[in-house]
Every structure is written in C-alpha cells, then in structure tokens.
Amino acid sequence: MALPVAEWQGRTARLWAALDPALRERLAAASLHDAVRLGCDLLRTEEEEEAALEQLCHRVPTDKKPEAASWYREQGNREFKRGQYQAALRLYSKAASHELPGSPEVSLCFANRSAALLHLGHYEDCLEDIARAESHGYPDRLLPKVLLRKAECLLCLGRLQEAQDILRVLESKIALDGVMTTHLTRLKKLSQLKVELGEKERCPEPAGEARGGIQGEPEIWEENSRISGASSSLSLSFDAERGRHLVASQDIVPGQRLVQEEAFVSVLCPGESLALQGGDTAWDTRATSADLYCHHCLRQLLASVPCQGCSYAKYCSQGCAAMAWQQYHSTECSLGALLLTLGVFCHVALRTVLLAGFAEVSRLVAWSHRGDKNLQNPEASCKPLSEAADAGAACRGVPGCDSRGRYQSSYQALFHLLPHTEQHSPEHKFLCTLSVVALCKQLQAAGLEAAVLSQESPQQWSKPKTCEKTSDELSPEMKTVAEAMLRHVLQLQCNAQAITVMQELGPGDGAVVDKKPVRLATAFFPVLSLLNHSCCPNTSVSFSGTAATVRASQPISSGQEVLHCYGPHCCRMRVAERQQLLSQYFFECHCPACLEELESGVKSVVSIRNSFCCPKCQAQMQGEEDTLCCSNEACATSASRDHLSGRLQDLQQQIKKALDLLRVGKADQAVKMLLKCQMDAGTFLSPGHLLMGEMEDHLAQVYATLGKWQEAARHLKKSIEIVEMHHGPSSVETGHELFKLAQILFNGFAVSEALSTIQRAEGILSVHFGPQSAQIQELQEMKACLSELPRNILQRT
C-alpha cells in the first residue's frame, strides 16, 4: 500500500488529536523544514510511538529464517511429486531466499529448482540454476543427478559437444563409484536423444525466416533537443492555468511515440497474493508481485536470485542484484520490515534521495531555503512561455529546467514537482512527517547515516558504511535528508506514476490466455509528469520494465495539448465519481467530457449503460432516491435501490464461485453456474451493463478450456460488442478482447475469420503498445502460421 499500515495511521491520528491546539496550528502552517524539526521533537518525547512502530514491523519480517527455508523446500518437493512444477518452482525460490549466505543447503534449493525448470522446458534457466548449485557447494555424492540434468538440457538445446563432455565426466564418476543401474538407464536415454538431435542437425527444420520478418521496420524517432526522452514533435509550454505542460509542435498521428522515459526511481509494490496451494500452513505459500518480478528492473521472474542479506528482495539476475546493492539496497536491506510497514511512498522517497546522492539533495534543499515566497509553488513566478521572444531563454526560468533551458529526467526536475504543501490536510502532513522522521532515525540508529550521506556516487557504494553517531537526535545532515524525503512523499500523491503490467489470470497454460492490468510498482517519471490530465485523453501509456512509453491514441493537431488520464476515465465512471477521485490532485477537471456532463445535466452514457433494468419490461430504471421507478410510462414497477444493489453483489459472488470452479478444473460446473448467472442478470441489469460483457467473456474462457471453439467465439463476440459500446472500437480494452478472439479462432482453425480479427487487433494494439510489443509479435506469429497453410485449405476456410 502507498501509505503506512492502518495501525500506524491510527496512532498518528490519535497523537495529532491529543496535541495542544497551538502546536497543531504551528504544524499545520509549518514549512517542510520546520515540520521535520517539530516531528523530531515529538518523536523524541513520544518513545511509546517508536516502540509501537517496532512492534508493527514484526508482522512483516524480512530477515532470513533457515527453518522457513527447510519447510519451503519440503513443500516444493511435495508439489514436484504431484507434477505441479510451477508451484514447486516458486516454493524452491522462497526456500532459497531464506537460506543464509554460504549455507550448503542453498545449493539444494537451486538444484531442486533446476529439476522443476527442466520439466517446464526452461533449459537455459535450468543450466543457470545448476551452475548456482555447483558454485554454492552442491554435495559431491549428489552430483551425478545434476550432471544428468545438465546433459539433458544441453541435448535439448542442441549443444551436442558440451553434452558429450558432460557425459564423459559423468561416466568417469560412475566408473569410480561403481555401476549404478539408474544412471546407466538414463545414460541410454540420453544417448538416444543425442542420436535424434544428430538426425535433426543433418536435416534442419527451416527456422527464423518468419520470425525475422516479424520484427518489422524500427520506429522513426527523433529526440527533442530540450526535453529528454520526448519526441521532437513536442514542445514544453507554461501558463498560469495549466502550469508546465506539453503541446504538439506538429501534427501527430495515432500510434506515434511521443515519450520514452526510464523511471528516475521505482519501487515494487508487494501486490495481491496468488495462492500456490490451499490449506493453513505455518509459512505463507502465496506468491505476490514481490515474488514474481525483479525488484530492480521489474522483469518477470522465473528463477529468482535472492538478496544475500534479506528474504524479501529478489532479482532476475546476479547483475541486477549487484546493481541494486550498489545503488540503494545496501542501505535498505536491513530496513525491509520498516519500509513495508511505512508504505511504498516512504520507500520511494528514501530510494529517491539514495539515487540522487546527498550532494545534490542538500544543494536543492538549500536552494529551497533562500526566502522565495513561492518556493512551495515554484511555478507561480514563471511567465507564460508564449510571452517570451526566445523559447530557449524562457525555458531556463521554468522549474526543473537546467541553465541551458533543457528539461531532463533528473533529480532537479523531480525536486521541482509540486508538493502542494499547503493543500494537504494537516493530519496527512503530520502522518507523513512522523513516518519520514521515524525512518531517518532508524537509518541513523542502524549506523547507515554515512552511507546515506556519502559524497561518492551511489554507483560506487559496495556495502553499508557505519556511522559513529548514535544519538537519539537527528544530525543536521539527516534532517536535510528527512526534509527532502517529506517533500517527495507529499509530491507522490499528485505525481506518483503506477507502473502496470498485464498479469495472467490462472495458471496461464490454456490455449487462450486471460490477463488483467495489475499495479506493479510506484515510480517518479519527471518528463511523464509534465502531461496534464484529461478524462478523455489523446495518449496511451504502456510500460516495459521500468520504462514508460507514451503514444498518441488519436490524431493530435499542431498546437494542441498532449493529455494523459490519471485514472478516472469518462468511459469508466460518471463525472461526480471522477471529480471526487481527482480531488487528491488538488485541481478541478475542466476537460470536454466533464464540462459536457456538468453543463448539460444529462446522465452520462456510463450511467445509462450500467443501469438497472425493470424486472418486468426490461426498460431502464431511473431515479436519484432510494426508490427507483421504471422509465416506461406504461409500467408502474418500482424497486428499492438497495435491493437491486444487493442482487448485483450476490451475482458477483456467484460469478466468482464459477471462476473458482474453472481454476480447479471443473469447467462443466462452471458453465452451468455462469449460464444461470447470465439468466439472473438479464432480469435486472441493462443489456449493455459491463457485467453482462464480463460474463460473456468468462463463458468464452470456459468453452475455450473445453475445446468448444465456436461457442467460445460466439460468446466473446458478444463481449466485444459491449466493450466497444463502453470504451470505443479503437480502445485498448477492445484490442485486448480482439486478441483473445484471435487466439480462439486460431485454435478453432477458422482461418479466414482469424486472419481478419488478427489484422484488426494488430491495428488497435500497435497504436497503444507499438509494433514491437509482445502481443503484436504473437499476433504476427499466428498470422504467419495461418498464411503458410496450403492454398486449398485457405480457400475452404
């Protein structure tokens, strides 16, 4: 979660309420500098609060526990014997993360995980785990087992000479140990594989031609000379109403890449748990985003490399582990439980100052103390760029720009993002202040102050540096760090960017893969933050690891502002809901969609489509009070809003039960339950209700699981109609549904219809994600496969 755990929020709220009114008034009006000083004074006298925070940290331990490692390894062995190799893989990874550095048992974890990887067909990863097992002192008596596994992987990869070398080593070991029938049997099998692979090498299959053509032409990209990571088709502008913003300096077409930016800082969110197995257990066997993605580059994990110091951080490679340690994790490692307790915003704030380095942090904090009345709103003193004769000279005065008038994805640009200090509620600012001060005090108490204040580049850090200061009072330097961190925590409410990823629902081993967007990390993107909000944006944002890409989702004329949706979209919610959610950004949206709904007073399309319908005549139910009436004058039916809302909740619970049945392999029962839900929904939900579309989508998924492709396609087409009605025919939501339809038609061998669906899905998704995205590549592979079918088959289908 972004903010601290509820218990800490509750304690700070009670402490705030108990403060003397005069002190509350001082804190409410305090600058960031004074707020930190007052926070230090309060925590020095309120030792009970720090003790309570320490107790809360015990709920989320991140230290290594060898007994947990043994238990996870045993559970992994059980899942492996059941043939549940994916579950076994994750349990072995959990085991490895709890083993102490240098422990011989960690080699068993890697060796066991390599067996699961072999069964899953991940041969390169299997070889890497075998190498890890060997480097961590894998017992010599068990070595023949992993050598056989290694040889099998090499054979499957076609690396025959290496496989032959391993077989020779293995035969020597067997000769020394005595004849082992089990090994001889497997050697015979591997020899047969070797013969088969030799035959394939003599008669190689054509490969790479279609895939090579699939890559397509690289995108044309000319970077802006004044805005790092932005296209030359954009320009930086400023006015009093909109602040800093980006406008098109030339006509822009849909799909054109506008911004490509690496996050200045990102922190993985722990995320929701995905159950690996059922039942109550002594240790948590669920997998979260923290188990599934690299904590440094955010790539999806298969066989994670654990941190040497804690059980929480996991990486996709030794390179990422080393880079994270050098840049920030050497400081964060021992504070994992505290960072999880204080929330992602505090974690992002700490990592931001670590990446920036104390020299840059102190320089900018000192700049903020120079007495300018507008320091909390640095844009206030700027003149509109349109009034300047020289745009380059004018940009030099825009907050975040350097002396040459260039806006870079830098700490200086990040520091100048608005913290809205005066707009935050006093209670919220108090919570953030105490959280930041508590974190800085723990840094100092743990002897990590020198690492934080190091004048070296963060890339040169290799291990935490101890500090002689152990006083309960924060040093002046640490107060500077705390002030910068408080600024960043407050900035995040308006400037945090959620990095999202399309995560597979269920095991992901079906012919049709169902995915949903999941918040993966929270990040600062200084250039992306220049985009203002609109409930009907003209851009689409996608992510690859820690990189964000902004593309035009519709034509943008020269001089038109480039706009991004902060979350509340006109296709997903009514204007009142959008305005309420946008209040956290301290502005009132005046985009065309909001103005049209507010001025006309007419119900939004979202309200009409997601409305209840009359149980008798199926006309729309209407009314603003607790009692809804049928809109059909000839029908006098009325119903309680609470009653219909209760039916909707019950229906959603039944749908969830049906999907649970599908996940455990009971597809036939899932179909019956979903069809019953569909009949029930038709009696009180409008035909265009999004839930009606979701049920069609779920039915398509179930029928695809059963191999009934025509039925699956029929239901998914109905889902697409409703999605198009809500989000539009060229929306990313429609593109995802068409992608699933293409998979179904492909598997159902409906060649002609599959090709036309692929073409439409490709056209939509390439606008939002670009021609090199994974979904586009898969669509092109399907198209290439279908196009290679004999002509007579294509004509028949």
Side-chain angles (χ1 to χ4, degrees):
M1 58 191 297
L3 296 176
V5 296
E7 293 86 349
W8 178 245
Q9 292 187 48
R11 292 193 72 91
T12 58
R14 289 190 292 274
L15 181 57
W16 170 263
L19 290 178
D20 181 79
L23 180 55
R24 282 208 302 269
E25 190 173 334
R26 284 178 61 199
L27 282 163
S31 66
L32 297 178
H33 175 78
D34 291 339
V36 168
R37 182 175 57 80
L38 290 168
C40 289
D41 292 342
L42 273 171
L43 278 189
R44 189 169 57 248
T45 57
E46 297 287 342
E47 295 181 359
E48 182 183 339
E49 302 304 324
E50 289 190 87
L53 183 58
E54 185 177 348
Q55 286 299 313
L56 289 172
C57 292
H58 293 161
R59 299 184 182 182
V60 281
T62 58
D63 53 327
K64 291 181 177 290
K65 298 184 184 297
E67 63 273 22
S70 299
W71 188 87
Y72 280 126
R73 195 167 67 248
E74 289 172 7
Q75 296 303 308
N77 291 341
R78 190 176 74 174
E79 293 300 312
F80 186 90
K81 290 174 183 176
R82 293 175 54 212
Q84 300 297 315
Y85 302 120
Q86 192 68 49
L89 180 71
R90 290 176 180 167
L91 287 163
Y92 289 142
S93 293
K94 280 182 173 284
S97 69
H98 275 283
E99 291 290 3
L100 298 173
S103 165
E105 280 76 14
V106 74
S107 67
L108 300 177
C109 297
F110 291 135
N112 289 0
R113 194 170 69 179
S114 72
L117 289 164
L118 176 63
H119 280 279
L120 291 167
H122 299 293
Y123 304 120
E124 293 285 4
D125 297 283
C126 178
L127 289 173
E128 287 182 14
D129 258 2
I130 289 172
R132 290 186 187 110
E134 291 176 324
S135 68
H136 283 82
Y138 191 68
D140 192 64
R141 59 185 174 80
L142 299 176
L143 205 54
K145 187 162 56 174
V146 295
L147 289 177
L148 282 168
R149 197 172 297 150
K150 187 174 184 178
E152 190 169 352
C153 280
L154 291 167
L155 287 167
C156 289
L157 292 168
R159 292 156 59 177
L160 297 182
Q161 185 57 55
E162 294 174 73
Q164 184 62 48
D165 293 341
I166 294 296
L167 290 174
R168 289 196 187 100
V169 172
L170 189 56
E171 287 168 346
S172 299
K173 280 189 168 292
I174 290 173
L176 289 172
D177 297 341
V179 176
M180 298 170 63
T181 307
T182 304
H183 288 313
L184 290 175
T185 302
R186 297 186 70 176
L187 282 170
K188 183 178 179 181
K189 176 186 173 184
L190 292 174
S191 297
Q192 291 170 348
L193 284 172
K194 181 179 173 182
V195 172
E196 291 174 16
L197 285 168
E199 292 174 354
K200 287 182 181 180
E201 283 194 337
R202 285 192 295 274
C203 304
E205 297 176 2
E209 294 179 9
R211 186 174 292 273
I214 284 170
Q215 295 302 315
E217 296 294 324
E219 292 183 82
I220 298 173
W221 171 259
E222 183 180 347
E223 188 166 357
N224 198 299
S225 60
R226 297 199 177 277
I227 313 165
S228 68
S231 164
S232 59
S233 60
L234 302 180
S235 62
L236 177 62
S237 191
F238 173 84
D239 61 44
E241 182 183 352
R242 292 176 291 180
R244 292 165 291 184
H245 58 282
L246 296 177
V247 297
S249 55
Q250 61 189 56
D251 290 343
I252 292 169
V253 298
Q256 187 172 334
R257 184 158 43 117
L258 304 179
V259 175
Q260 181 85 47
E261 182 183 17
E262 277 286 335
F264 180 86
V265 60
S266 63
V267 170
L268 188 71
C269 302
E272 297 177 0
S273 296
L274 304 173
L276 293 181
Q277 63 181 47
D280 295 329
T281 54
W283 305 96
D284 191 0
T285 58
R286 296 171 299 175
T288 68
S289 293
D291 301 304
L292 302 175
Y293 296 90
C294 177
H295 288 225
H296 182 67
C297 71
L298 303 183
R299 289 191 181 92
Q300 193 160 8
L301 291 176
L302 184 63
S304 60
V305 176
C307 170
Q308 294 295 298
C310 68
S311 63
Y312 180 69
K314 303 170 186 71
Y315 304 97
C316 64
S317 65
Q318 194 58 49
C320 268
M323 187 68 72
W325 186 263
Q326 290 171 352
Q327 292 184 345
Y328 51 82
H329 193 62
S330 57
T331 304
E332 298 176 355
C333 187
S334 62
L335 304 175
L338 180 61
L339 291 168
L340 287 171
T341 301
L342 293 178
V344 171
F345 280 7
C346 273
H347 198 163
V348 172
L350 172 62
R351 190 171 292 181
T352 298
V353 299
L354 292 175
L355 288 171
F358 181 70
E360 183 70 354
V361 170
S362 60
R363 180 183 74 82
L364 287 167
V365 169
W367 167 86
S368 72
H369 293 165
R370 288 178 187 163
D372 189 332
K373 294 179 181 178
N374 294 311
L375 286 178
Q376 301 307 332
N377 184 10
E379 293 183 345
S381 60
C382 295
K383 295 180 179 179
L385 295 189
S386 58
E387 297 179 9
D390 177 15
C395 282
R396 286 197 289 272
V398 174
C401 289
D402 60 23
S403 58
R404 296 172 298 167
R406 180 172 166 80
Y407 189 95
Q408 295 182 295
S409 186
S410 63
Y411 183 66
Q412 177 168 315
L414 189 159
F415 190 88
H416 282 85
L417 297 174
L418 296 181
H420 295 286
T421 309
E422 296 176 358
Q423 279 81 16
H424 288 281
S425 71
E427 295 85 354
H428 177 72
K429 196 163 75 169
F430 183 66
L431 166 67
C432 296
T433 300
L434 287 195
S435 300
V436 164
V437 169
L439 178 52
C440 287
K441 288 187 73 172
Q442 186 57 39
L443 279 165
Q444 189 167 284
L448 296 168
E449 181 182 358
V452 177
L453 306 183
S454 172
Q455 295 302 308
E456 300 171 355
S457 167
Q459 284 75 8
Q460 296 173 344
W461 297 352
S462 59
K463 61 182 180 180
K465 300 182 179 182
T466 58
C467 177
E468 294 179 2
K469 187 175 182 65
T470 58
S471 168
D472 193 47
E473 172 67 24
L474 280 184
S475 67
E477 293 83 4
M478 285 304 292
K479 285 180 180 176
T480 297
V481 169
E483 182 179 339
M485 287 176 59
L486 178 56
R487 181 185 188 91
H488 299 326
V489 170
L490 296 178
Q491 285 173 325
L492 282 163
Q493 180 160 321
C494 299
N495 294 286
Q497 176 63 56
I499 295 179
T500 58
V501 65
M502 296 299 292
Q503 194 172 83
E504 291 182 4
L505 302 176
D509 52 4
V512 179
V513 178
D514 196 14
K515 297 183 177 183
K516 70 170 182 178
V518 172
R519 184 178 189 130
L520 181 60
T522 297
F524 268 131
F525 289 94
V527 175
L528 184 55
S529 293
L530 292 172
L531 296 180
N532 281 331
H533 166 80
S534 172
C535 299
C536 48
N538 50 22
T539 61
S540 181
V541 182
S542 61
F543 301 93
S544 176
T546 57
T549 301
V550 181
R551 295 179 185 277
S553 59
Q554 56 186 262
I556 305 174
S557 303
S558 179
Q560 186 179 348
E561 186 176 0
V562 179
L563 298 162
H564 168 41
C565 180
Y566 291 179
H569 198 288
C570 63
C571 290
R572 301 187 187 100
M573 55 187 73
R574 297 172 296 177
V575 64
E577 295 172 286
R578 300 200 302 270
Q579 295 285 353
Q580 183 179 0
L581 285 173
L582 288 168
S583 64
Q584 68 171 303
Y585 298 102
F586 307 115
F587 72 86
E588 189 173 317
C589 185
H590 295 115
C591 73
C594 287
L595 291 177
E596 183 181 352
E597 286 184 51
L598 289 168
E599 291 173 2
S600 67
V602 178
K603 268 194 170 185
S604 70
V605 175
V606 175
S607 300
I608 295 169
R609 289 172 182 160
N610 279 337
S611 63
F612 296 117
C613 71
C614 176
K616 288 187 178 179
C617 70
Q618 274 66 58
Q620 182 189 345
M621 298 292 284
Q622 59 186 18
E624 300 299 327
E625 305 299 327
D626 293 337
T627 301
L628 300 178
C629 299
C630 180
S631 58
N632 180 4
E633 294 180 359
C635 179
T637 302
S638 63
S640 162
R641 184 188 297 275
D642 288 343
H643 172 69
L644 292 174
S645 297
R647 286 188 65 182
L648 179 59
Q649 290 177 356
D650 291 342
L651 179 65
Q652 290 169 328
Q653 287 298 316
Q654 291 301 308
I655 293 171
K656 183 178 181 299
K657 289 179 181 178
L659 295 178
D660 289 340
L661 288 171
L662 177 61
R663 290 188 187 98
V664 296
K666 298 179 180 179
D668 290 326
Q669 294 180 42
V671 167
K672 291 178 182 177
M673 185 171 284
L674 283 171
L675 289 172
K676 185 176 181 300
C677 288
Q678 196 177 43
M679 288 183 63
D680 181 37
T683 64
F684 73 102
L685 294 182
S686 63
H689 199 289
L690 267 177
L691 191 59
M692 300 293 281
E694 289 175 18
M695 281 187 285
E696 296 288 1
D697 186 281
H698 296 325
L699 281 165
Q701 185 184 358
V702 178
Y703 281 120
T705 302
L706 294 169
K708 297 182 179 180
W709 305 112
Q710 288 185 343
E711 276 295 296
R714 183 173 67 84
H715 284 285
L716 198 53
K717 288 173 186 175
K718 291 181 180 179
S719 171
I720 291 171
E721 289 177 9
I722 294 174
V723 169
E724 284 184 341
M725 190 191 306
H726 281 267
H727 301 289
S730 59
S731 65
V732 66
E733 291 84 0
T734 299
H736 287 315
E737 289 296 293
L738 286 168
F739 178 82
K740 288 189 280 188
L741 179 60
Q743 290 178 312
I744 286 172
L745 295 169
F746 177 86
N747 284 289
F749 209 60
V751 179
S752 178
E753 193 176 0
L755 286 170
S756 62
T757 302
I758 288 169
Q759 184 175 1
R760 188 181 167 202
E762 192 178 342
I764 294 171
L765 294 175
S766 62
V767 166
H768 294 281
F769 301 108
Q772 305 300 323
S773 68
Q775 283 186 311
I776 295 296
Q777 296 298 304
E778 188 173 338
L779 286 168
Q780 291 181 342
E781 286 172 8
M782 286 192 284
K783 182 166 63 176
C785 181
L786 293 173
S787 300
E788 290 171 1
L789 292 172
R791 186 175 297 275
N792 60 333
I793 294 178
L794 290 173
Q795 289 173 344
R796 284 205 308 271
T797 56

